[in-house]
């Protein structure tokens, strides 16, 4: 039982009448009448609220949440009362969200039920625990409030962004991937695997015309080639402290995990084989490249269990183990973050060693906060010098790209929010140009 604000207002009014009775006697009698009336209303309200268990509520949500995405939670509240009630619903969401706005107010007619929908955006993988649903009910009198503890505690696992994966899948079916920024790459040159001969249509490369078939059919026919299949694509993720930098609540490591998941799916759709490797102070996880049915679930479960460390990553161990486990030339997409040109130079020999046996693409990140700071006008001499220093850091990121290019290593400098789209576009570009 809870006493809401209306009860205390009424009680203060009755007390004021009693106090006024010392000055003006009829007010004391009015206070007595008011007190009796308040007690009667309290009893009536208690009877209306407690004569039967009148509220049922339950929570509906996915068994697992998608990291970095909006996940829907649906609460159904049903009334068994024979009169109108006012309801306040508080859902005990996982404390990690630190939200204080999951408090909903609604009115229910006799026997009515309503749904409450809200979204949660997790920024860390792991197990999140929901508590009970607390429902506070009051009648139109509003003198008392009854609390119901309903629903059941529930644990939800937060996985890498599988909702993004479903979004790519649906748009791929409808051929609308350009809505996400995936470019239609124009294929340069010819592919080695012949697929079929078809009728010439406007836009076909005239160099692919099959003159013998055209002579037999008395119309232009062209050869159709397809991408070379079954190439191995490995996402290699750095788990060191450099990947713990956060952007919009998520670490660079989690952005890399989400991008790896989506790229693995796209690679399998292109009939390539997708694999995974992670490393920190030592070589950690290795999932061999494959495109078997159900293999995406294996990659998803492996990515779910990954955690960053606080040590310096060992690129020498990465070279040794990748050379040991990967025999066929593959595309290695390395997600890391170089703070400056000096940190990249320390690892350059190992990057060159990987690039000799495989095709290496190094993915690292721009500092979005730094870019914002540089774009702001300086208001003082001190801010001007600070912007010059910030521009120096931004220049070093571009210098890393240039240095890697000089050594024949491909790189991608991107922002965390554009990572997935930029990596997919780079993969499609390299594939179309037969650079794998």
């Amino acid at each position: 039982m809870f006493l809401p604000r209306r009860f205390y207002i009424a009680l203060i009014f009755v007390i004021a009448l009693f106090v006024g009775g010392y000055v003006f006697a009829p007010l004391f009698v009015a206070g007595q009448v008011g007190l009796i009336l308040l007690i009667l209303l309290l009893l009536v309200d208690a009877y209306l609220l407690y004569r039967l268990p009148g509220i049922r509520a339950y929570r509906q949500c996915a068994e697992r949440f998608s990291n970095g995405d909006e996940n829907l939670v649906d609460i159904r509240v049903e009334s068994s009362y024979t009169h109108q009630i006012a309801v306040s619903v508080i859902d005990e969401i996982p404390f990690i969200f630190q939200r204080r706005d999951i408090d909903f107010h609604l009115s229910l007619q006799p026997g009515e039920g309503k749904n409450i929908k809200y979204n949660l955006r997790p920024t860390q993988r792991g197990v999140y625990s929901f508590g009970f649903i607390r429902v506070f009910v009051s009648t139109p009198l509003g003198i008392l409030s009854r609390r119901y503890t309903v629903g059941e505690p529930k644990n939800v696992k937060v996985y890498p962004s599988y909702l993004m994966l479903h979004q790519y899948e649906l748009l791929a079916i409808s051929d609308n991937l350009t809505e996400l920024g995936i470019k239609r790459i124009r294929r340069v040159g010819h592919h080695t695997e012949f697929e079929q001969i078809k009728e010439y249509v406007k836009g076909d490369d005239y160099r692919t015309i099959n003159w013998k078939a055209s002579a037999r059919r008395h119309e232009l026919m062209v050869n159709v080639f397809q991408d070379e299949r079954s190439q191995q694509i490995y996402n290699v993720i750095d788990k060191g402290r450099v990947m713990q930098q956060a952007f919009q609540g998520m670490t660079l490591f989690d952005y890399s995990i989400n991008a790896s998941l989506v790229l693995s799916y796209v690679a399998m759709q292109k009939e390539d084989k997708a694999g995974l490797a992670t490393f920190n102070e030592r070589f950690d996880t290795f999932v061999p490249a494959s495109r078997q049915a159900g293999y995406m679930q294996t990659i998803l479960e492996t990515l779910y269990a990954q955690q960053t460390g606080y040590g310096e990553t060992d690129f020498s161990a990465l070279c040794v183990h990748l050379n040991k486990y990967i025999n066929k030339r593959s595309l290695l997409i390395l997600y890391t973050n170089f703070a400056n040109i000096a940190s990249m130079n320390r690892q350059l020999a190992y990057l060159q060693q990987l690039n000799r046996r495989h095709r290496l693409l190094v993915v690292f990140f721009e500092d979005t906060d730094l870019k914002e700071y540089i774009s702001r006008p300086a208001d003082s001499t001190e801010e001007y010098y600070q912007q010059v220093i910030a521009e120096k850091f931004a220049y070093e990121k571009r210098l890393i790209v240039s240095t890697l290019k000089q050594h024949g290593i491909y790189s991608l400098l991107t922002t965390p929010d554009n990572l997935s789209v930029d990596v997919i576009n780079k993969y499609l570009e390299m594939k179309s140009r037969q650079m794998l």
Side-chain angles (χ1 to χ4, degrees), residues 343-358:
S343 62
M344 190 278 296
N345 283 332
R346 287 198 298 269
Q347 313 299 346
L348 183 58
Y350 303 116
L351 298 179
Q352 289 177 295
Q353 183 179 342
L354 288 173
N355 196 54
R356 278 194 291 270
R357 293 197 58 178
H358 306 281

Side-chain angles (χ1 to χ4, degrees), residues 136-393:
F136 296 85
V137 181
S138 58
T139 68
L141 293 176
I143 304 300
L144 273 182
S145 180
R146 181 179 179 181
R147 187 183 77 172
Y148 289 87
T149 299
V150 290
E152 295 292 338
K154 181 176 184 177
N155 290 333
V156 174
K157 288 185 176 181
V158 177
Y159 277 81
S161 183
Y162 64 86
L163 287 182
M164 185 193 300
L165 193 66
H166 292 164
Q167 185 181 11
Y168 276 81
E169 182 178 7
L170 291 173
L171 289 177
I173 292 172
S174 60
D175 200 23
N176 287 327
L177 281 175
T178 50
E179 293 180 7
L180 293 178
I182 306 301
K183 301 175 183 176
R184 295 182 181 274
I185 304 297
R186 180 178 179 270
R187 286 168 168 74
V188 179
H190 302 280
H191 299 282
T192 57
E193 293 192 11
F194 174 80
E195 184 177 10
Q196 63 174 337
I197 300 174
K198 72 175 187 68
E199 295 179 4
Y200 175 87
V201 295
K202 187 176 180 181
D204 286 339
D205 189 349
Y206 66 88
R207 291 173 297 179
T208 62
I209 295 176
N210 188 319
W211 295 107
K212 291 184 178 179
S214 300
R216 288 194 298 268
R217 294 286 299 272
H218 303 290
E219 59 181 330
L220 288 179
M221 306 293 292
V222 293
N223 295 329
V224 178
F225 298 88
Q226 64 184 8
D227 294 330
E228 186 181 349
R229 302 179 180 180
S230 297
Q231 295 169 313
Q232 295 188 151
I233 313 297
Y234 279 93
N235 291 286
V236 183
I237 306 177
D238 185 345
K239 296 171 55 176
R241 63 173 179 264
V242 295
M243 299 295 280
Q244 292 184 354
Q245 181 179 340
F247 173 76
Q248 293 183 354
M250 279 178 58
T251 63
L252 299 181
F253 180 64
D254 278 309
Y255 279 105
S256 300
I257 282 179
N258 290 347
S260 299
L261 183 66
V262 175
L263 182 62
S264 297
Y265 171 77
V266 172
M268 290 183 185
Q269 294 298 109
K270 292 290 183 180
E271 300 190 17
D272 287 335
K273 297 177 180 179
L276 175 69
T278 65
F279 70 107
N280 42 29
E281 298 96 336
R282 55 184 177 80
F283 190 79
D284 187 32
T285 305
F286 181 76
V287 179
S290 176
R291 58 181 302 269
Q292 298 174 356
Y295 207 67
M296 279 303 302
Q297 185 63 33
T298 302
I299 294 177
L300 180 64
E301 292 291 344
T302 304
L303 289 172
Y304 168 74
Q306 301 301 314
Q307 297 295 334
T308 53
Y310 292 94
E312 186 77 21
T313 47
D314 187 353
F315 279 76
S316 63
L318 176 67
C319 291
V320 170
H321 286 84
L322 288 186
N323 290 337
K324 175 182 177 181
Y325 291 126
I326 306 176
N327 299 320
K328 180 181 176 182
R329 183 174 175 83
S330 308
L331 170 62
L332 306 180
I333 301 176
L334 173 61
Y335 301 87
T336 187
N337 196 33
F338 296 119
N340 49 52
I341 189 68
S343 62
M344 190 278 296
N345 283 332
R346 287 198 298 269
Q347 313 299 346
L348 183 58
Y350 303 116
L351 298 179
Q352 289 177 295
Q353 183 179 342
L354 288 173
N355 196 54
R356 278 194 291 270
R357 293 197 58 178
H358 306 281
R359 175 64 70 193
L360 178 63
L361 172 63
V362 179
V363 180
F364 59 108
F365 300 90
E366 287 184 288
D367 191 325
T368 51
D369 293 332
L370 200 66
K371 287 180 65 178
E372 263 184 48
Y373 183 76
I374 292 172
S375 63
R376 275 183 281 180
D379 296 328
S380 64
T381 305
E382 182 181 356
E383 287 187 4
Y384 176 77
Y385 281 115
Q386 288 175 346
Q387 284 193 348
V388 170
I389 295 171
E391 286 177 356
K392 177 180 179 296
F393 283 112

Side-chain angles (χ1 to χ4, degrees), residues 15 36 125 130 146 193 247 253 273 370 403 413 418:
I15 293 172
I36 294 170
R125 287 164 292 110
F130 284 87
R146 181 179 179 181
E193 293 192 11
F247 173 76
F253 180 64
K273 297 177 180 179
L370 200 66
T403 305
L413 178 62
N418 292 326

Side-chain angles (χ1 to χ4, degrees), residues 99-161:
R99 288 180 59 176
R100 301 292 182 266
D101 59 342
I102 310 299
D103 183 4
F104 306 95
H105 301 273
L106 57 149
S107 177
L108 295 178
Q109 298 298 324
E112 185 183 13
K114 288 185 179 179
N115 287 71
I116 301 170
K117 299 178 186 292
Y118 66 93
N119 291 305
L120 293 175
R121 180 181 179 268
T123 55
Q124 298 178 24
R125 287 164 292 110
V127 179
Y128 287 38
S129 298
F130 284 87
F132 293 99
I133 302 172
R134 311 290 182 177
V135 182
F136 296 85
V137 181
S138 58
T139 68
L141 293 176
I143 304 300
L144 273 182
S145 180
R146 181 179 179 181
R147 187 183 77 172
Y148 289 87
T149 299
V150 290
E152 295 292 338
K154 181 176 184 177
N155 290 333
V156 174
K157 288 185 176 181
V158 177
Y159 277 81
S161 183

